[in-house]
Amino acid sequence: MEEDLFSLNEQHNLINKRFIKDGWITVYCGHNEGEGVDSCIYSLLVKPEYLSKYMENRNWGIHCGSEGHPSIITHYKDGSSITEYYRFAEEGMEPFVFPKWFSHNRERYVDVSQEFVNYFNLYEKSSSKQIRSYFYIDDLGDEEEAISVKEREVKIKLKFVAEYLAVRKIHLSLCFDFMMITDKDGTGRSLVYKDQDFIGETFNYNHLIRFVLGLDNRSYQSWIIGKTLLKYDPAKSQTFHFEVNEDAHETFIIGYNEDGSEKLIPCNSEEYKFFTPVFFKKTVLNKYYDNPQKYTVNGFHISSSFITLKIDNNHDDYVMVFLNDLRTLPQKEQLHWKHHNIAPEPGMGLSGSYYDTMIMGKWARDSDAVDVRLKEKYKRFNEQWFNKYGWYFYKMQVGTDQQHFDALHVPSENTVTSFSDQLLTLVKLTIDSLNEEMLIKGLSKVENEKGIAKLERFLESKDIEIPDMIKFLRNLQDLRSGMIAHRFSNSNKNVKRAVDYFGLNNENYREVALDIFVKSLHTLNTLTKLFLDEEE
C-alpha cells in the first residue's frame, strides 16, 4: 500500500532487526530507486571509550565515500611544525566498508575491511570487481561463504562479524539513510507529518515527514536518517574460530553391554586406546569418493590436504577404523562417521590385507576388497604391458579420467543410480579405453569394427580364444546402453539379453555390481597369465 511505502514501515523493521536476516547482516547498501525508496546503509567501527559521545547524536561520524584515506596532519608545538601520519582521520572510529567510485572509467565497487578478511583468512572468488564472494576454509577444507559483495550491496554472515567484534572489543555502527519523495497520491490516504526522534542505548535516528517546496510535482518527503549499533559480546571475547576444543570427541559403538545395549566409548578413551575396532557402513566413504579432486581413498587410508585417516577398506560390506584413530578427525568429521557407525556382528573384524600391510608391514599383499584390488591390478597390468610391449593395453587416462578412476568403487547402496554411476565408469576405463589402434596393428582392416571385436581378433592372431571373457565384455557393453538412462528396457533386445546374463533385477544392484567387478578382475588376471607370464 502507498501509505506503508511512504511511511517507511519496512525500513523501521530493518532498523529494529539491525539489518539481520537468516544469519546474514547487511553492512552496505546503496540503491537509488527513482520513484521508490532511496536506500543507503553504511558501516563503521567504534571503540568502546568513544561510544557514549558517538551516540549523543545521529551523525554517522564518517561520511560514506570519503572513508579510508590515511591522513597527514601538520600541527605546531613550541613554535615548530610537526607532521604525522594517521591511519584514519576520525578519532575513535574506523571504516568497515569502502565504497569506491572512479570517474575516469565510471566504475564502482565495494571493498570490505582487509583486516577482517585477513583475520579469517578468507578466500576470494569473483566474476568481476563488482561481484565477489569470500569463503572461510575450515580444517576439513570445506568452504563456507562469509561475505557476499555486489556492486551496491554487501552482506556478511553474522557469526563472523560477531567473533571479529568480540575479539577486537569494538562495536559496529550501522548507519542508514532512507528517503522517499513523491506526489500527494504516493503518500496514501492517511498522510501525517512528523519530526520524530528515536533514541535509545543502541540507536539514534530521526523520521521526518514533510512538505518540501521546489521539487516539481513531488513535494512530499519521508526521510529516516541515523544509526544503530551491533555491540560486541564480552562473553565471546575468548572464543576463536581457529581454536580446537580438545574435549569435543564423539562416542562410537564398539560392542554391546551386558544388558544388550550398545556400548558407546569416546574416541579419545584411554581405556580402549589400543586396537579397538569400530565398524561403519560402506556409505561412510561416499562423500570422499564423490570428491576425488579433494580426497584420495584406497584400502588403507583416506587422505587430503587437511586430514589423513587410517582405515581398513578391504571388506566388501563394511569399513573398519581403530577407535583412537578417529580422534585425529575434527569433531565435524567425527559426526559424519558417527552417522554411519554400526555395531559389530559375528565374523566382522580386521582384514588379512590390513593386518599384513599396516600391522606387520608386509606391503606385497593385495587388498581383500575387490574394488581396491581391481584398481591396483589395472594400474600394475597396464604398466607391465607397456614395459613388455612398448604400448599401453588401456589408453592412458586424460583430463578427468583419473578422478573417475580414483572414485571407482563397488556401490555402497543397492540403488540403480549408484549401480549405473559406477558401472559407467568401469566400462569407460576398460572397454572404452582399449588401445584399438595397437590391437589391430598389422591386421587386416574390417569396416565398422568396434573395440571388443578388435580385441577378439587380436587374441585370435595369437591363437588364443577366450569365449567366456568376450561374452562377458559384450554383455557389459550392452548393459551400458541401459545404464546411460538409468533404465533397463525390455524393448532393447541387446540390453534385455545383458540384463538376463547378469541376472539383474531391482533387488540386487549391489550384488550384480560386485560380480561384475570380480569378472573384470578375472579378465585382467587372465590376460596377465597369457601375455605377461605372471601367475594369479
Side-chain angles (χ1 to χ4, degrees):
M1 297 174 64
E2 290 86 352
E3 53 261 37
D4 286 336
L5 184 63
F6 186 72
S7 298
L8 302 179
N9 291 337
E10 181 181 349
Q11 285 67 31
H12 277 287
N13 289 332
L14 291 173
I15 295 167
N16 291 335
K17 295 177 181 178
R18 292 176 296 183
F19 309 104
I20 296 169
K21 183 179 181 181
D22 299 329
W24 290 78
I25 182 169
T26 300
V27 295
Y28 174 78
C29 176
H31 292 296
N32 188 328
E33 299 295 341
E35 296 184 0
V37 178
D38 294 341
S39 302
C40 179
I41 302 171
Y42 176 76
S43 301
L44 58 101
L45 301 172
V46 182
K47 294 180 180 180
E49 58 267 31
Y50 292 89
L51 185 62
S52 178
K53 180 179 179 180
Y54 177 75
M55 293 303 296
E56 288 177 357
N57 56 61
R58 57 177 178 269
N59 293 335
W60 293 3
I62 298 177
H63 294 289
C64 179
S66 65
E67 69 293 305
H69 301 288
S71 298
I72 298 174
I73 299 176
T74 300
H75 61 93
Y76 292 87
K77 183 176 181 181
D78 299 328
S80 300
S81 65
I82 300 174
T83 301
E84 294 181 305
Y85 175 92
Y86 290 86
R87 183 177 170 213
F88 302 113
E90 296 81 5
E91 189 176 11
M93 293 174 282
E94 62 183 79
F96 189 62
V97 291
F98 300 81
K100 297 183 177 181
W101 164 254
F102 298 92
S103 58
H104 74 289
N105 61 359
R106 305 187 65 78
E107 183 177 7
R108 76 170 72 242
Y109 59 87
V110 188
D111 282 334
V112 178
S113 165
Q114 193 61 42
E115 188 171 353
F116 178 85
V117 172
N118 289 341
Y119 174 75
F120 292 103
N121 194 28
L122 300 181
Y123 174 70
E124 180 183 348
K125 294 181 181 180
S126 64
S127 58
S128 66
K129 288 291 290 183
Q130 290 72 30
I131 308 296
R132 311 194 306 278
S133 291
Y134 292 80
F135 292 85
Y136 173 68
I137 313 299
D138 69 12
D139 48 9
L140 287 171
D142 293 336
E143 296 180 355
E144 179 181 3
E145 188 175 14
I147 306 176
S148 172
V149 178
K150 298 179 181 178
E151 181 177 355
R152 294 180 179 273
E153 183 178 73
V154 177
K155 293 183 178 181
I156 304 180
K157 193 160 284 187
L158 181 60
K159 68 177 184 180
F160 293 102
V161 176
E163 178 178 331
Y164 181 73
L165 298 179
V167 168
R168 288 200 56 190
K169 297 181 175 63
I170 201 166
H171 306 297
L172 181 70
S173 175
L174 296 150
C175 309
F176 46 86
D177 185 337
F178 302 111
M179 185 185 297
M180 181 177 180
I181 299 176
T182 185
D183 57 20
K184 184 65 170 65
D185 292 337
T187 65
R189 291 174 294 180
S190 54
L191 174 62
V192 177
Y193 295 109
K194 68 165 62 174
D195 185 359
Q196 182 177 359
D197 290 327
F198 297 82
I199 300 174
E201 181 183 354
T202 60
F203 56 86
N204 191 328
Y205 64 96
N206 174 268
H207 189 180
L208 177 66
I209 296 179
R210 62 180 177 174
F211 179 84
V212 183
L213 293 174
L215 294 177
D216 299 325
N217 63 330
R218 298 191 302 147
S219 301
Y220 296 88
Q221 179 189 47
S222 183
W223 183 15
I224 297 177
I225 187 169
K227 55 197 177 187
T228 186
L229 290 178
L230 180 65
K231 300 181 73 173
Y232 82 85
D233 183 355
K236 295 181 179 180
S237 293
Q238 301 300 318
T239 304
F240 314 112
H241 66 281
F242 48 80
E243 281 192 332
V244 177
N245 185 351
E246 299 294 343
D247 297 324
H249 291 93
E250 295 301 317
T251 59
F252 294 88
I253 306 167
I254 67 166
Y256 294 93
N257 296 308
E258 291 184 1
D259 62 0
S261 60
E262 293 174 338
K263 189 171 187 176
L264 292 164
I265 302 295
C267 59
N268 65 334
S269 168
E270 289 294 321
E271 182 180 359
Y272 294 88
K273 67 186 299 183
F274 296 113
F275 302 112
T276 301
V278 185
F279 299 96
F280 303 89
K281 301 174 186 175
K282 275 283 190 176
T283 51
V284 73
L285 300 180
N286 285 354
K287 69 170 286 186
Y288 308 108
Y289 279 126
D290 290 344
N291 195 353
Q293 305 97 315
K294 183 176 179 181
Y295 297 103
T296 298
V297 183
N298 57 36
F300 308 112
H301 295 91
I302 294 170
S303 60
S304 73
S305 300
F306 300 88
I307 63 168
T308 298
L309 178 67
K310 295 178 183 178
I311 63 173
D312 185 359
N313 184 29
N314 298 284
H315 305 277
D316 291 327
D317 298 313
Y318 59 88
V319 178
M320 192 283 298
V321 182
F322 287 128
L323 179 65
N324 265 205
D325 287 338
L326 290 162
R327 70 179 177 179
T328 65
L329 296 175
Q331 186 189 19
K332 174 183 173 182
E333 202 66 1
Q334 290 180 24
L335 288 168
H336 166 74
W337 283 79
K338 184 172 184 174
H339 178 70
H340 298 271
N341 187 200
I342 55 176
E345 297 179 3
M348 294 173 67
L350 194 66
S351 71
S353 54
Y354 189 92
Y355 179 80
D356 286 350
T357 303
M358 301 298 287
I359 306 298
M360 302 303 295
K362 299 176 182 178
W363 289 88
R365 174 166 176 168
D366 288 335
S367 172
D368 294 336
V370 65
D371 49 3
V372 176
R373 192 159 73 249
L374 174 63
K375 291 194 288 186
E376 292 172 347
K377 180 63 180 178
Y378 180 98
K379 291 189 290 187
R380 189 165 67 244
F381 167 81
N382 218 25
E383 287 298 327
Q384 290 175 338
W385 188 283
F386 178 81
N387 292 336
K388 185 170 183 177
Y389 298 105
W391 54 278
Y392 289 105
F393 187 86
Y394 296 112
K395 289 181 289 187
M396 294 299 290
Q397 297 154 11
V398 296
T400 59
D401 289 347
Q402 181 62 51
Q403 294 175 3
H404 287 296
F405 179 84
D406 293 340
L408 180 64
H409 62 283
V410 172
S412 56
E413 299 172 287
N414 191 44
T415 66
V416 63
T417 300
S418 298
F419 176 84
S420 298
D421 289 346
Q422 295 308 312
L423 271 295
L424 282 170
T425 298
L426 181 60
V427 171
K428 178 178 176 62
L429 295 171
T430 54
I431 297 172
D432 290 352
S433 294
L434 287 170
N435 196 335
E436 299 180 18
E437 179 182 356
M438 297 304 298
L439 286 174
I440 60 170
K441 187 176 182 180
L443 302 180
S444 59
K445 184 177 181 180
V446 176
E447 292 294 330
N448 299 320
E449 188 178 38
K450 304 298 183 182
I452 297 175
K454 292 177 181 179
L455 172 62
E456 188 173 23
R457 275 213 300 143
F458 169 80
L459 294 173
E460 290 172 351
S461 72
K462 309 296 182 183
D463 296 323
I464 296 173
E465 293 185 4
I466 319 175
D468 288 344
M469 185 182 81
I470 297 298
K471 184 178 181 180
F472 161 69
L473 293 175
R474 291 192 190 282
N475 279 288
L476 185 59
Q477 187 177 48
D478 289 338
L479 192 64
R480 187 257 299 275
S481 300
M483 288 190 290
I484 290 174
H486 290 181
R487 301 172 59 190
F488 304 98
S489 172
N490 289 332
S491 62
N492 186 316
K493 293 182 180 180
N494 290 338
V495 174
K496 184 179 184 305
R497 183 174 61 244
V499 168
D500 292 340
Y501 172 84
F502 290 108
L504 183 66
N505 59 55
N506 291 332
E507 305 297 328
N508 67 349
Y509 291 115
R510 191 170 188 276
E511 178 184 340
V512 170
L514 189 60
D515 180 58
I516 291 174
F517 272 73
V518 170
K519 285 183 168 66
S520 297
L521 179 61
H522 182 65
T523 297
L524 290 174
N525 289 339
T526 300
L527 293 171
T528 298
K529 183 177 180 180
L530 290 170
F531 290 95
L532 301 176
D533 300 321
E534 180 181 309
E535 291 291 337
E536 288 290 337

